[in-house]
Short mmCIF file of all heavy atoms in Angstrom, two decimals:
data_model
loop_
_atom_site.label_atom_id
_atom_site.label_comp_id
_atom_site.label_asym_id
_atom_site.label_seq_id
_atom_site.Cartn_x
_atom_site.Cartn_y
_atom_site.Cartn_z
N HIS A 1 129.29 125.75 20.60
CA HIS A 1 130.55 126.51 20.68
C HIS A 1 130.69 127.44 19.49
O HIS A 1 131.03 128.62 19.63
CB HIS A 1 131.71 125.52 20.77
CG HIS A 1 133.05 126.19 20.87
ND1 HIS A 1 133.79 126.50 19.76
CD2 HIS A 1 133.76 126.60 21.96
CE1 HIS A 1 134.92 127.08 20.15
NE2 HIS A 1 134.92 127.15 21.47
N ASP A 2 130.43 126.91 18.28
CA ASP A 2 130.53 127.72 17.07
C ASP A 2 129.51 128.83 17.06
O ASP A 2 129.78 129.96 16.64
CB ASP A 2 130.35 126.83 15.83
CG ASP A 2 131.52 125.88 15.63
OD1 ASP A 2 132.63 126.22 16.06
OD2 ASP A 2 131.31 124.79 15.07
N PHE A 3 128.30 128.53 17.53
CA PHE A 3 127.25 129.55 17.59
C PHE A 3 127.64 130.67 18.55
O PHE A 3 127.42 131.85 18.26
CB PHE A 3 125.93 128.91 18.03
CG PHE A 3 124.81 129.90 18.17
CD1 PHE A 3 124.14 130.37 17.04
CD2 PHE A 3 124.42 130.37 19.42
CE1 PHE A 3 123.11 131.30 17.18
CE2 PHE A 3 123.41 131.30 19.55
CZ PHE A 3 122.74 131.77 18.43
N ALA A 4 128.23 130.30 19.70
CA ALA A 4 128.64 131.30 20.67
C ALA A 4 129.71 132.22 20.10
O ALA A 4 129.67 133.44 20.30
CB ALA A 4 129.14 130.60 21.94
N PHE A 5 130.68 131.64 19.40
CA PHE A 5 131.73 132.46 18.80
C PHE A 5 131.17 133.34 17.70
O PHE A 5 131.60 134.48 17.52
CB PHE A 5 132.85 131.57 18.25
CG PHE A 5 133.97 131.39 19.22
CD1 PHE A 5 134.01 130.30 20.07
CD2 PHE A 5 134.98 132.33 19.31
CE1 PHE A 5 135.05 130.15 20.98
CE2 PHE A 5 136.03 132.19 20.20
CZ PHE A 5 136.06 131.08 21.05
N SER A 6 130.21 132.81 16.92
CA SER A 6 129.60 133.61 15.87
C SER A 6 128.86 134.80 16.45
O SER A 6 128.95 135.93 15.94
CB SER A 6 128.65 132.74 15.05
OG SER A 6 127.99 133.50 14.06
N ALA A 7 128.13 134.57 17.55
CA ALA A 7 127.41 135.66 18.21
C ALA A 7 128.38 136.68 18.77
O ALA A 7 128.16 137.90 18.69
CB ALA A 7 126.52 135.09 19.32
N LEU A 8 129.49 136.21 19.35
CA LEU A 8 130.50 137.11 19.89
C LEU A 8 131.11 137.96 18.79
O LEU A 8 131.34 139.17 18.95
CB LEU A 8 131.58 136.30 20.61
CG LEU A 8 132.78 137.09 21.17
CD1 LEU A 8 132.31 138.08 22.23
CD2 LEU A 8 133.82 136.14 21.74
N ALA A 9 131.39 137.32 17.64
CA ALA A 9 131.97 138.05 16.51
C ALA A 9 131.02 139.12 16.00
O ALA A 9 131.43 140.25 15.72
CB ALA A 9 132.33 137.08 15.39
N GLU A 10 129.74 138.78 15.88
CA GLU A 10 128.76 139.75 15.39
C GLU A 10 128.61 140.91 16.37
O GLU A 10 128.53 142.08 15.98
CB GLU A 10 127.42 139.06 15.16
CG GLU A 10 127.43 138.08 14.00
CD GLU A 10 126.07 137.42 13.82
OE1 GLU A 10 125.13 137.79 14.56
OE2 GLU A 10 125.97 136.52 12.96
N ARG A 11 128.60 140.62 17.66
CA ARG A 11 128.47 141.66 18.66
C ARG A 11 129.70 142.57 18.68
O ARG A 11 129.59 143.78 18.80
CB ARG A 11 128.25 141.03 20.04
CG ARG A 11 127.97 142.06 21.15
CD ARG A 11 127.43 141.41 22.40
NE ARG A 11 128.37 140.46 22.98
CZ ARG A 11 128.21 139.14 22.94
NH1 ARG A 11 127.15 138.60 22.34
NH2 ARG A 11 129.10 138.34 23.50
N SER A 12 130.87 141.97 18.50
CA SER A 12 132.10 142.76 18.48
C SER A 12 132.15 143.66 17.26
O SER A 12 132.61 144.80 17.35
CB SER A 12 133.32 141.83 18.49
OG SER A 12 134.51 142.57 18.39
N ASP A 13 131.66 143.16 16.13
CA ASP A 13 131.65 143.98 14.92
C ASP A 13 130.66 145.14 15.01
O ASP A 13 130.92 146.23 14.49
CB ASP A 13 131.33 143.12 13.69
CG ASP A 13 132.50 142.23 13.29
OD1 ASP A 13 133.59 142.39 13.89
OD2 ASP A 13 132.33 141.39 12.39
N SER A 14 129.54 144.91 15.65
CA SER A 14 128.52 145.96 15.75
C SER A 14 128.81 146.95 16.87
O SER A 14 128.50 148.13 16.76
CB SER A 14 127.13 145.33 15.96
OG SER A 14 127.11 144.58 17.17
N GLN A 15 129.44 146.47 17.97
CA GLN A 15 129.79 147.33 19.10
C GLN A 15 131.24 147.06 19.52
O GLN A 15 131.51 146.47 20.55
CB GLN A 15 128.83 147.06 20.27
CG GLN A 15 127.38 147.40 19.96
CD GLN A 15 126.48 147.07 21.14
OE1 GLN A 15 126.75 146.15 21.92
NE2 GLN A 15 125.41 147.83 21.28
N PRO A 16 132.21 147.52 18.72
CA PRO A 16 133.61 147.19 18.99
C PRO A 16 134.12 147.88 20.24
O PRO A 16 133.73 149.01 20.56
CB PRO A 16 134.33 147.69 17.75
CG PRO A 16 133.46 148.78 17.21
CD PRO A 16 132.05 148.35 17.51
N ALA A 17 135.01 147.20 20.94
CA ALA A 17 135.68 147.81 22.08
C ALA A 17 136.59 148.93 21.59
O ALA A 17 137.01 148.97 20.43
CB ALA A 17 136.49 146.75 22.82
N ALA A 18 136.91 149.84 22.50
CA ALA A 18 137.69 151.02 22.13
C ALA A 18 139.04 150.64 21.52
O ALA A 18 139.52 151.27 20.57
CB ALA A 18 137.88 151.92 23.34
N TRP A 19 139.69 149.58 22.08
CA TRP A 19 141.02 149.23 21.59
C TRP A 19 140.97 148.63 20.19
O TRP A 19 141.98 148.61 19.48
CB TRP A 19 141.69 148.26 22.55
CG TRP A 19 141.06 146.89 22.63
CD1 TRP A 19 140.11 146.48 23.50
CD2 TRP A 19 141.35 145.76 21.80
NE1 TRP A 19 139.77 145.16 23.28
CE2 TRP A 19 140.53 144.70 22.25
CE3 TRP A 19 142.23 145.53 20.74
CZ2 TRP A 19 140.54 143.43 21.66
CZ3 TRP A 19 142.26 144.28 20.15
CH2 TRP A 19 141.43 143.25 20.61
N ARG A 20 139.78 148.17 19.76
CA ARG A 20 139.65 147.61 18.42
C ARG A 20 139.47 148.67 17.34
O ARG A 20 139.72 148.40 16.17
CB ARG A 20 138.47 146.63 18.37
CG ARG A 20 138.69 145.32 19.09
CD ARG A 20 137.47 144.42 18.99
NE ARG A 20 137.75 143.10 19.54
CZ ARG A 20 138.20 142.06 18.85
NH1 ARG A 20 138.43 142.20 17.56
NH2 ARG A 20 138.45 140.91 19.42
N ARG A 21 139.03 149.84 17.73
CA ARG A 21 138.65 150.84 16.73
C ARG A 21 139.81 151.28 15.84
O ARG A 21 139.64 151.47 14.63
CB ARG A 21 137.98 152.03 17.41
CG ARG A 21 136.59 151.67 17.94
CD ARG A 21 136.00 152.72 18.84
NE ARG A 21 134.77 152.22 19.45
CZ ARG A 21 134.21 152.75 20.52
NH1 ARG A 21 134.77 153.81 21.11
NH2 ARG A 21 133.10 152.24 21.02
N PRO A 22 141.05 151.47 16.38
CA PRO A 22 142.16 151.80 15.46
C PRO A 22 142.42 150.71 14.43
O PRO A 22 142.74 151.01 13.27
CB PRO A 22 143.35 151.97 16.41
CG PRO A 22 142.74 152.30 17.74
CD PRO A 22 141.45 151.54 17.78
N PHE A 23 142.25 149.46 14.83
CA PHE A 23 142.42 148.36 13.87
C PHE A 23 141.33 148.40 12.80
O PHE A 23 141.60 148.13 11.62
CB PHE A 23 142.38 147.02 14.60
CG PHE A 23 143.60 146.73 15.42
CD1 PHE A 23 143.65 147.04 16.77
CD2 PHE A 23 144.73 146.16 14.84
CE1 PHE A 23 144.77 146.79 17.53
CE2 PHE A 23 145.87 145.89 15.58
CZ PHE A 23 145.89 146.22 16.94
N LEU A 24 140.11 148.73 13.22
CA LEU A 24 139.01 148.79 12.26
C LEU A 24 139.24 149.92 11.26
O LEU A 24 138.97 149.76 10.06
CB LEU A 24 137.69 148.98 12.99
CG LEU A 24 137.28 147.82 13.92
CD1 LEU A 24 136.00 148.15 14.67
CD2 LEU A 24 137.10 146.53 13.12
N ARG A 25 139.75 151.07 11.74
CA ARG A 25 140.06 152.17 10.81
C ARG A 25 141.17 151.75 9.84
O ARG A 25 141.14 152.12 8.66
CB ARG A 25 140.47 153.41 11.60
CG ARG A 25 139.30 154.12 12.28
CD ARG A 25 139.68 155.51 12.75
NE ARG A 25 140.64 155.47 13.84
CZ ARG A 25 140.29 155.40 15.13
NH1 ARG A 25 139.02 155.36 15.48
NH2 ARG A 25 141.23 155.38 16.07
N TRP A 26 142.14 151.02 10.38
CA TRP A 26 143.21 150.52 9.50
C TRP A 26 142.65 149.58 8.45
O TRP A 26 142.99 149.70 7.27
CB TRP A 26 144.26 149.81 10.37
CG TRP A 26 145.24 149.00 9.58
CD1 TRP A 26 146.12 149.45 8.66
CD2 TRP A 26 145.40 147.58 9.63
NE1 TRP A 26 146.85 148.40 8.14
CE2 TRP A 26 146.43 147.24 8.73
CE3 TRP A 26 144.80 146.57 10.39
CZ2 TRP A 26 146.85 145.94 8.54
CZ3 TRP A 26 145.22 145.27 10.21
CH2 TRP A 26 146.23 144.95 9.29
#
């Protein structure tokens, strides 16, 4: 479970969804 979430977090950071990008700029 922890490994899956870690992989999801890394993938989200490298290829963020469009709705996340304003938060990342912030």
